[in-house]
Amino acid sequence: MTSPDSPVLVIGECVADIVRTDGAPDVVHPGGSPSNVAYGLARLGRPAVLLTELGPDANGRLIRAHLESAGVTVRAAEVARTPSAVVRLDGQGRPGYTFDIGWTLPPVDLSEPPAAVHLGSIGAVTEPGAASVLALAERWSGLVPISYDPNVRPALMGERAGAVRRVERCVALSGLVKASDEDLAWLYPGERPEAVAERWLALGPSVVAVTLGERGAFALTAEGEHLRVPAVPTPVADTVGAGDSFTAALLHARAVGAGLPGCLAQAVTAASLTVSRPGANPPSAAELEAALAVNSRTV
């Protein structure tokens, strides 16, 4: 366990989410799963450094200002334009994405190991940049805590068998893995999420957590714990960034020594707060604490 005052190095993409709704003007939200996790950690009071790519354009300036407003330290290689995704929301607020994304992160030599590393999504599996991400993860595997969220984007994953191999390589390097049931359904069609989680545990992680949308979440541990928690009922504005808020809260709770029940309670509560408002807008530490207190009184 690392100190809650020690920074987490998050590696991966930033994306300008262009939310498009029929009959309304486009709205641009800062996004990208790793970027959202770094922002979520900082909002909860955990220092975060984001190793990423940004363009010298309006979207890049928007995302950098957004991250720095929460206290994230941004280390960004410059690319021609900031990656973007057109997000269309269905009637339940669930997003569908059309991407304009490249990932070319050059090799990085950091003088000192970070306190912890989080990787995931497009940046962990999309070449040529994924090679740099994996080189850092392999260098620090076994030395610092590593976490991973595949955050599957089928349009960018290529052929399924190759995607599964890349994802499982990241799983094997990690101590904590978080995925959604939708991620697992694409990677392993027809398999039960619990069965996949058990198989992933055998690759090396100590914890595998799986979100189930409105059905809550569960987690398995290498020590044999199996805990399932319900979702927190809340009106849904949209689900953009909910999984990333779950991940950030889960990582923060583990860093401060919470047990598995406390970690999952904080994670599902953070996700519920995020879906209650538009965009990837995770809670602050004060908001999460207040919501946990309310939830504990209503249980």
Side-chain angles (χ1 to χ4, degrees), residues 14-15 28 51 61 67 72 89 103 117 119 124-126 134 136 150 162 184 191 210 221 229 238 254 256 259 261:
C14 292
V15 180
V28 181
L51 183 60
R61 293 191 293 274
L67 291 164
V72 177
L89 303 176
W103 179 247
V117 177
L119 54 137
V125 297
T126 301
L134 290 175
L136 290 173
L184 302 186
E191 293 196 43
V210 179
T221 73
V229 297
D238 66 50
R254 277 179 60 83
V256 299

Side-chain angles (χ1 to χ4, degrees), residues 166-191:
R166 293 191 295 273
V167 166
E168 290 183 348
R169 183 180 178 188
C170 294
V171 169
L173 290 169
S174 304
L176 182 150
V177 178
K178 173 265 173 183
S180 71
D181 54 349
E182 292 179 346
D183 295 335
L184 302 186
W186 188 87
L187 291 166
Y188 308 97
E191 293 196 43

Side-chain angles (χ1 to χ4, degrees), residues 103-204:
W103 179 247
T104 58
L105 188 73
V108 178
D109 183 18
L110 300 180
S111 57
E112 296 182 1
V117 177
H118 177 74
L119 54 137
S121 197
I122 298 160
V125 297
T126 301
E127 298 297 352
S132 299
V133 178
L134 290 175
L136 290 173
E138 288 172 344
R139 174 182 174 186
W140 293 322
S141 181
L143 300 176
V144 304
I146 296 178
S147 54
Y148 172 59
D149 178 0
N151 193 52
V152 169
R153 296 291 179 247
L156 301 173
M157 298 296 285
E159 180 263 334
R160 182 179 278 107
V164 169
R165 287 193 297 271
R166 293 191 295 273
V167 166
E168 290 183 348
R169 183 180 178 188
C170 294
V171 169
L173 290 169
S174 304
L176 182 150
V177 178
K178 173 265 173 183
S180 71
D181 54 349
E182 292 179 346
D183 295 335
L184 302 186
W186 188 87
L187 291 166
Y188 308 97
E191 293 196 43
R192 293 170 50 250
E194 291 83 359
V196 176
E198 289 172 357
R199 191 161 68 250
W200 278 5
L201 277 179
L203 296 177

Side-chain angles (χ1 to χ4, degrees), residues 68-98:
E68 291 179 344
S69 73
V72 177
T73 300
V74 181
R75 294 190 52 174
E78 185 170 304
V79 290
R81 67 181 183 277
T82 300
S84 64
V86 174
V87 185
R88 287 191 175 273
L89 303 176
D90 67 12
Q92 286 73 49
R94 294 174 302 201
Y97 296 88
T98 303

